[in-house]
Amino acid sequence: YTHNDICFPCQMVVGELIAAAALNLFIVPLGLYTGGMLGLCQLIRTLLQSALGLETGSYDIAGILYFITNIPILLLAYKTLGRELVVKTIVCAVSYSIIPIPSTPIIDDYLTACMLGGILTGVGSGIVLTCGASGGGLDIVGLCLSKRGSTFTVGKFSLTFNVFLYTVFLVLFSPQVAIYS
């Protein structure tokens, strides 16, 4: 008996849809950033837009960048963690892309949006992880490091990466953006 025995594929997809809705409906429309690989991709998108004047209209290219950065991560995962996790991660990544980002925030209050976004992202991600899947990005890198005997756990790796990422947010943007992100 393992956690995978009680999960159906639809549960994993529902979990990813909850996490995607939390970020895409509450966090991103306010110009805030998430952590991990997606947060890095959001930062790269913002830098491309400001430094190169790259305009994509209402489309957010952070998702494309996230997909591209996940390709080598998934190749590493395939070799280290196996086919099943990679397939589940791909299903989750495709599920994530279903939820569009509204052009105006649903909730204008930063604190309320962050609370809702954080709680729902935690619930959705928890469902996905309980099903033995992943949304991709740093979770996979952390799992690979753990499996290879590194002293980094998934949590330590993610936390360390995010400390550096949010420090960059603090330097480049306002303290309000960094703190609420």
Side-chain angles (χ1 to χ4, degrees):
Y1 173 77
T2 65
H3 61 278
N4 290 331
D5 295 333
I6 60 172
C7 280
F8 297 102
C10 62
Q11 289 173 299
M12 171 182 76
V13 170
V14 167
E16 193 63 23
L17 289 174
I18 292 169
L23 288 173
N24 289 350
L25 299 178
F26 299 114
I27 305 301
V28 175
L30 288 173
L32 299 175
Y33 297 82
T34 186
M37 190 61 70
L38 182 56
L40 178 62
C41 292
Q42 289 174 303
L43 175 63
I44 293 168
R45 176 229 33 229
T46 301
L47 294 174
L48 287 172
Q49 288 173 336
S50 63
L52 302 177
L54 178 67
E55 288 303 321
T56 58
S58 63
Y59 189 76
D60 187 356
I61 64 165
I64 293 171
L65 294 171
Y66 186 66
F67 176 78
I68 292 168
T69 58
N70 265 297
I71 292 171
I73 292 171
L74 289 173
L75 292 173
L76 173 67
Y78 188 83
K79 290 175 72 174
T80 308
L81 303 170
R83 180 181 181 272
E84 183 180 354
L85 179 75
V86 171
V87 169
K88 287 181 176 182
T89 300
I90 291 169
V91 169
C92 285
V94 169
S95 301
Y96 185 94
S97 66
I98 293 171
I99 306 293
I101 300 168
S103 57
T104 59
I106 294 173
I107 296 175
D108 287 327
D109 180 63
Y110 279 81
L111 184 58
T112 304
C114 287
M115 293 294 290
L116 284 170
I119 290 168
L120 291 173
T121 300
V123 167
S125 297
I127 293 169
V128 170
L129 292 171
T130 299
C131 292
S134 168
L138 294 186
D139 292 347
I140 301 255
V141 175
L143 287 169
C144 289
L145 288 172
S146 292
K147 183 149 186 171
R148 289 187 175 191
S150 171
T151 58
F152 270 115
T153 62
V154 176
K156 283 181 190 176
F157 177 72
S158 186
L159 185 60
T160 303
F161 184 90
N162 284 329
V163 164
F164 288 107
L165 183 63
Y166 285 106
T167 301
V168 172
F169 292 156
L170 183 62
V171 170
L172 295 179
F173 310 118
S174 70
Q176 182 180 12
V177 168
I179 290 167
Y180 280 114
S181 293

